[in-house]
Amino acid sequence: MEKNPDFIFVCSQAQQIEWVKTYYPGLYATIQEFEKKGRFVPVGGTWVEMDGNLPSGESMVRQFLQGQRFFQQEFGKLCLEFWLPDTFGYSAQLPQIMRGCGIRRFLTQKLSWNLVNTFPHNTFFWEGLDGSRVLVHFPPADSYGLSGRVDEMLRTVKNNKDKGRVNHSVALFGFGDGGGGPTQKMLDRLQRMKDTDGLPRVQMSVPEQFFSALEKEKAQLCTWVGELFLELHNGTYTTHGQIKKGNRECERLLHDIEILSSLALVQKRSFQYPSAQLQHLWRLLLLNQFHDVLPGSCIQLVAEDAMRYYSEIRSSGAQLLKEATHSLCGEPLASQDKSSDTILVVNTLPWERTEVVSKTGPRGPETLALVTVPSLGFCAVPESFPPPHPVTISKEADGSVTLANGIIQACLDPLGRMVSLSLLHPKRYFFIP
């Protein structure tokens, strides 16, 4: 960058910059200097370039929250564009989330990999589930790793499906898939193409300048409504099930910690809300939602790291959950007889729930109870809770079995097939063919 004063480096993913800050403080100081000059440009607004379908809506919001917060703290500015060149499809909820996080522009290119249907636009508006719209650009060269060759620039113009509607497009060059940036040869090629007859005019730019130019030409742009579906890599949504399971379990765990910690703080001002610990755990989870980790398209070493991060989230999260629950429910627990096996059932969802809960205690086998718990509340389940309708099981000499619970009765033949089902009160029979 010192040798090429016109060169501008765009960098997404706050996590990458945070690693540089932690492990290479000297390099980070240089990055900050170039950022002030407008030549190092943080983009994307997210913690990592995450998968576009598997994370929950809350996790997608947290990607922007953590990313935008980091860029605001470190560089004093927020990103206006979402930068996600490489992922395996895009949820229809993303435009709404983007707009809610201060993002109104989006750059990607992955749909150029479609197996069957060619996506009809390079520059268009994308409308989400609630009607929110963002301006989208797909680089017409269908790549984020160009080398600055003449044929690539010509392909950029030829492939632009929105010629006549807009007069600008992006060419992303450098070793983008590995984060290595461009070589001097690439920069020299592009310098020669600044104003050459027969070639498109090439200039170094920043996302803000480019999207501002598009917004001036937006009058004739088309609108795509709903999901942006990638017709490729479909196996990424079924492979490495343990990584996907870990993601969802940890999402639920962090949700419950935040709910109970907030309630504990409202109830008792002396409670220490675990802000720093939660941010650390959220950032680990968001890192695992990178678009090659959560989908399972990563190498073994990465998968092992991901499982280790999940273990840390579960272990630390369980302790935080215990502390919040004890602070919130300590008095009800203390009021119970110490010798009893009464338990508290907590509902962390914003609606009343009626569920069957199981309880195994030192005094007997597992027992079940039907419990109704208010929204964001808890209730005590006594030591002994006989079911309102006792369950009976009777086995006949021929091996058939009859099951009854006071409401319905089912008969199974010796092979376990249901042969009849009856409602006991009033008596009504249903026969299974």
Side-chain angles (χ1 to χ4, degrees):
M1 295 183 77
E2 292 88 346
K3 185 178 178 180
N4 300 273
D6 292 336
F7 174 45
I8 299 170
F9 189 87
V10 168
C11 183
S12 65
Q13 305 188 105
Q15 173 69 89
Q16 292 189 103
I17 303 175
E18 198 269 342
W19 278 330
V20 174
K21 179 183 178 182
T22 301
Y23 298 109
Y24 305 97
L27 175 59
Y28 185 68
T30 303
I31 286 175
Q32 287 182 307
E33 292 177 7
F34 278 105
E35 190 279 329
K36 292 176 182 177
K37 298 175 183 177
R39 296 184 55 205
F40 181 93
V41 182
V43 295
T46 53
W47 190 246
V48 298
E49 291 182 8
M50 73 283 195
D51 179 81
N53 281 313
L54 287 170
S56 67
E58 179 64 29
S59 287
M60 289 186 178
V61 171
R62 298 302 177 111
Q63 287 283 354
F64 286 103
L65 173 65
Q66 293 295 335
Q68 293 283 55
R69 176 181 291 171
F70 181 86
F71 291 135
Q72 178 72 46
Q73 291 173 346
E74 298 299 320
F75 303 110
K77 60 184 66 173
L78 300 175
C79 298
L80 299 179
E81 64 288 313
F82 182 30
W83 197 273
L84 190 61
D86 183 15
T87 193
F88 310 129
Y90 311 86
S91 167
Q93 66 181 327
L94 276 170
Q96 178 182 1
I97 293 174
M98 280 188 256
R99 293 306 297 257
C101 297
I103 303 283
R104 64 177 189 269
R105 302 154 171 174
F106 178 36
L107 183 142
T108 186
Q109 64 85 44
K110 195 68 173 187
L111 261 62
S112 65
W113 291 33
N114 275 2
L115 280 178
V116 179
N117 299 291
T118 300
F119 194 79
H121 301 292
N122 287 102
T123 304
F124 60 99
F125 284 104
W126 182 20
E127 183 175 313
L129 296 174
D130 72 331
S132 298
R133 297 204 310 168
V134 292
L135 178 61
V136 182
H137 182 69
F138 293 176
D142 298 338
S143 173
Y144 48 83
L146 302 180
S147 57
R149 299 196 312 269
V150 169
D151 63 306
E152 294 171 341
M153 299 303 111
L154 292 175
R155 186 169 78 244
T156 294
V157 175
K158 180 180 178 181
N159 286 1
N160 193 340
K161 303 180 185 70
D162 294 285
K163 283 181 292 189
R165 297 189 181 99
V166 293
N167 296 311
H168 298 80
S169 63
V170 157
L172 303 176
F173 66 97
F175 294 100
D177 209 10
T183 63
Q184 185 62 49
K185 182 181 290 187
M186 295 178 190
L187 295 172
D188 292 342
R189 288 171 180 162
L190 294 170
Q191 179 68 24
R192 297 187 191 103
M193 285 187 278
K194 271 190 171 182
D195 190 6
T196 302
D197 288 345
L199 294 178
R201 294 187 177 182
V202 177
Q203 68 178 53
M204 293 288 179
S205 184
V206 295
E208 168 63 29
Q209 181 180 349
F210 167 70
F211 277 106
S212 294
L214 288 184
E215 287 171 347
K216 294 176 182 177
E217 304 169 342
K218 65 183 180 181
Q220 299 184 58
L221 292 179
C222 300
T223 298
W224 183 272
V225 180
E227 178 186 8
L228 293 172
F229 179 76
L230 176 66
E231 299 172 356
L232 192 67
H233 299 331
N234 306 104
T236 58
Y237 294 111
T238 56
T239 190
H240 280 284
Q242 288 302 313
I243 290 181
K244 294 169 174 59
K245 179 183 178 183
N247 174 73
R248 193 65 79 232
E249 289 178 347
C250 290
E251 284 179 334
R252 289 200 302 264
L253 175 60
L254 294 179
H255 165 271
D256 291 350
I257 294 170
E258 291 183 335
I259 288 291
L260 296 181
S261 296
S262 298
L263 293 175
L265 181 61
V266 170
Q267 184 185 75
K268 189 182 300 182
R269 288 297 177 181
S270 60
F271 177 77
Q272 296 295 314
Y273 189 88
S275 301
Q277 299 97 311
L278 279 170
Q279 175 169 281
H280 172 69
L281 297 181
W282 263 113
R283 287 182 172 182
L284 283 180
L285 180 60
L286 298 179
L287 173 59
N288 272 3
Q289 292 174 354
F290 181 76
H291 64 264
D292 279 319
V293 178
L294 182 54
S297 50
C298 55
I299 62 175
Q300 180 179 346
L301 289 175
V302 175
E304 292 171 356
D305 282 348
M307 298 308 294
R308 181 163 49 85
Y309 294 151
Y310 286 141
S311 295
E312 180 178 345
I313 295 170
R314 289 188 182 103
S315 175
S316 300
Q319 181 61 34
L320 294 177
L321 189 66
K322 179 180 178 181
E323 293 171 1
T325 304
H326 186 270
S327 176
L328 180 65
C329 308
E331 293 183 7
L333 284 172
S335 65
Q336 300 295 329
D337 184 355
K338 298 295 184 182
S339 63
S340 75
D341 290 328
T342 299
I343 61 173
L344 287 179
V345 179
V346 181
N347 176 17
T348 58
L349 296 180
W351 56 81
E352 181 181 88
R353 295 172 63 190
T354 299
E355 305 282 352
V356 175
V357 298
S358 64
K359 171 184 162 186
T360 304
R363 303 186 181 185
E366 179 185 46
T367 53
L368 303 177
L370 188 65
V371 180
T372 298
V373 188
S375 65
L376 300 177
F378 56 86
C379 73
V381 180
E383 175 182 5
S384 175
F385 42 89
H389 302 285
V391 176
T392 61
I393 303 175
S394 58
K395 187 173 182 180
E396 308 301 331
D398 62 354
S400 61
V401 176
T402 300
L403 309 173
N405 66 357
I407 301 175
I408 60 174
Q409 177 177 287
C411 296
L412 310 179
D413 69 10
L415 296 178
R417 297 173 298 192
M418 184 180 293
V419 294
S420 71
L421 181 66
S422 60
L423 184 66
L424 297 180
H425 304 290
K427 198 73 172 179
R428 185 176 298 171
Y429 291 93
F430 305 93
F431 292 94
I432 308 300

